[in-house]
Amino acid sequence: MKFFIDTANLAEIREAQDLGVLDGVTTNPSLMAKEGITGKDNVMRHYKQICDIVEGDVSAEVIGTTFDEMISEGEELAELDEKIVVKVPMIKDGVKAIKYFSEKGIRTNCTLIFSAGQALLAAKAGATYVSPFVGRLDDVSTDGVALIEQIVMIYRNYGYTTEVLAASIRHPMHIIQCAEVGADVMTGPLSAITALLNHPLTDIGLAKFLADHKKASSK
Ligand code: G3P
C-alpha cells in the first residue's frame, strides 16, 4: 500500500519524508488556502517546493471547471515537474479532461469520488488514480470503506489499471481497513500515519528491556 500525505504544509511533508515511508503528496485548494498560498506564481512555486522534498507523486488540483480551463491549467502544472499528477474533479468536463490528459501521457487523479459509478467513469477515461473520500462518506452515515471495497472489486473484474487512492482518511483505523480491502494508496494527515506507530505494550516492553539491561550492566 502506498502512503501519501494529504497536506500542503512543507514541515509536515518533510517530517513524513524523513520517516522514510512516504510515497507521495496530495493537495487540494482548501489545503493550499490553509497554508495561505494564493496567487498563481505562489501556488506554482509551492508545488515545486513540495516536488523538491518528496520522491513520489504530487497531486496538484486544477481550479477551473470547464474543459478548456482544466486543460490549460493541467498542462502548465504537468510541465512544472515530472512528479506532478493533475487532480481533476469528477464532473462532466473533468471526465473529458482526464481522457484528453490520458491520451497525452499526462497523469491524473480524479477527485471528489463518492460512488462506484463515478469511479467506473474515471477509470474508463484513463485516470491514473481515483480518489474516493472515505471520511466524508462516514460523516454522512455512509460506509466509506465499503465504497473502496466495491471500487477495488470492479477494477479487478475488468483489469482497470487506475489505482484506488483512499482519500479523506482521518485516523489509523481507516488506513488499516482500506489496506484490508485492497486500496492501492491511502492519503491522510501526518497524525493518522504516525498514530500507526503507537501501542502501549511496545512502550511497556521497551521500558522493561532497557531497565533489565541497566540492572544487568550495573552488577
Ligand atoms: O484531498 C482530498 C481529501 O483527502 C480531503 O480530506 O479530511 O478534507 O475530508 P478531508
Side-chain angles (χ1 to χ4, degrees):
M1 186 188 217
K2 287 193 232 172
F3 274 24
F4 288 180
I5 188 170
D6 197 27
T7 184
N9 182 285
L10 298 180
E12 286 184 7
I13 293 169
R14 272 191 207 99
E15 191 177 335
Q17 179 66 34
D18 284 350
L19 191 59
V21 299
L22 191 68
D23 300 298
V25 175
T26 52
T27 61
N28 62 41
S30 302
L31 293 170
M32 292 292 275
K34 193 174 162 196
E35 299 306 315
I37 315 296
T38 54
K40 192 178 162 197
D41 289 351
N42 290 335
V43 166
M44 297 302 261
R45 199 174 308 122
H46 199 77
Y47 283 138
K48 188 66 187 159
Q49 280 179 289
I50 294 175
C51 290
D52 289 343
I53 297 170
V54 298
E55 279 162 27
D57 293 347
V58 175
S59 283
E61 188 160 342
V62 297
I63 303 295
T65 52
T66 67
F67 176 80
D68 289 340
E69 286 166 349
M70 285 188 263
I71 296 309
S72 141
E73 270 183 71
E75 286 183 334
E76 211 171 329
L77 284 167
E79 269 174 29
L80 191 64
D81 194 290
E82 60 183 15
K83 293 172 189 167
I84 293 281
V85 174
V86 180
K87 206 170 176 188
V88 177
M90 171 37 77
I91 54 177
K92 194 192 269 183
D93 276 20
V95 173
K96 291 183 195 170
I98 287 168
K99 178 75 180 167
Y100 172 91
F101 287 134
S102 153
E103 283 168 358
K104 288 202 79 174
I106 293 174
R107 295 176 308 144
T108 53
N109 174 355
C110 186
T111 189
L112 290 165
I113 294 287
F114 292 94
S115 76
Q118 292 177 325
L120 189 51
L121 267 180
K124 283 189 69 66
T128 313
Y129 296 102
V130 69
S131 288
F133 280 29
V134 174
R136 290 194 195 183
L137 279 170
D138 285 0
D139 288 345
V140 293
S141 312
T142 302
D143 189 344
V145 174
L147 176 62
I148 300 294
E149 189 170 21
Q150 194 182 13
I151 297 169
V152 166
M153 180 179 71
I154 289 170
Y155 285 6
R156 279 193 193 141
N157 284 347
Y158 295 96
Y160 287 120
T161 54
T162 302
E163 292 189 52
V164 181
L165 194 171
S168 186
I169 292 292
R170 304 275 173 76
H171 50 71
M173 274 314 289
H174 269 159
I175 301 177
I176 292 161
Q177 289 165 339
C178 287
E180 283 173 348
V181 299
D184 300 289
V185 192
M186 80 82 204
T187 191
L190 182 62
S191 59
I193 297 172
T194 53
L196 292 172
L197 283 165
N198 302 332
H199 198 290
L201 289 178
T202 304
D203 300 337
I204 293 166
L206 181 60
K208 172 123 179 60
F209 286 157
L210 297 180
D212 288 346
H213 171 76
K214 197 173 172 189
K215 216 186 297 168
S217 309
S218 63
K219 275 182 189 163

